[in-house]
């Protein structure tokens, strides 16, 4: 079974992406909340997530951080992650990249 480390769902949209995907696909997983601001919770987290960020998916001895990397990792194991149609799949992947986020600064 997978373990998904996330931050507060009210404040961490990146965590919510991985959590929502796994819930929608009805994948069994253990959810571990890493509350913002609680240093004691994060002290040993670097041993789990090399980046020290959430979300982080643990599958046995392997961990994947970053919501898009988690989606791609799950797509290798579960067919329903991306649409079957190539055009729809390309559109969906484009919507998940950092340059499609509102925080991205356009390069001109």
């Amino acid at each position: 079974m997978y373990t998904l480390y996330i931050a507060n769902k009210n404040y961490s949209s990146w965590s919510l992406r991985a959590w929502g995907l796994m819930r929608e696909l009805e994948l069994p997983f253990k959810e571990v909340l890493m509350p913002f601001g609680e240093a004691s919770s994060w002290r040993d987290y670097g041993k789990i997530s090399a980046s020290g960020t959430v979300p982080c998916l643990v599958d046995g001895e392997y961990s994947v951080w970053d919501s898009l990397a988690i989606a791609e990792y799950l797509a290798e194991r579960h067919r329903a992650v991306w649409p079957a149609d190539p055009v729809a799949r390309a559109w969906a992947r484009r919507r998940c990249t950092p340059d499609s986020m509102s925080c991205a600064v356009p390069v001109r």
Side-chain angles (χ1 to χ4, degrees):
M1 178 168 42
Y2 298 115
T3 301
L4 182 65
Y5 290 82
I6 61 170
N8 187 308
K9 294 174 194 152
N10 291 329
Y11 306 115
S12 177
S13 61
W14 299 109
S15 291
L16 200 53
R17 288 170 177 229
W19 180 86
L21 174 64
M22 295 181 78
R23 290 289 302 258
E24 182 65 26
L25 295 175
E26 299 179 348
L27 300 177
F29 68 97
K30 176 184 171 188
E31 176 183 322
V32 179
L33 179 64
M34 302 294 297
F36 288 133
E38 293 184 18
S40 60
S41 297
W42 294 87
R43 193 167 293 123
D44 295 324
Y45 186 62
K47 296 174 188 170
I48 298 165
S49 171
S51 70
T53 60
V54 289
C56 180
L57 178 70
V58 176
D59 183 13
E61 298 294 316
Y62 187 68
S63 62
V64 184
W65 54 93
D66 180 82
S67 57
L68 182 56
I70 291 169
E72 292 291 352
Y73 183 81
L74 293 172
E76 295 293 327
R77 287 148 184 77
H78 308 279
R79 288 182 166 256
V81 171
W82 296 117
D85 176 70
V87 173
R89 189 168 53 249
W91 184 89
R93 280 190 165 124
R94 188 182 70 76
R95 296 305 306 157
C96 292
T97 59
D99 64 332
S100 68
M101 303 298 124
S102 59
C103 63
V105 177
V107 178
R108 303 209 189 268

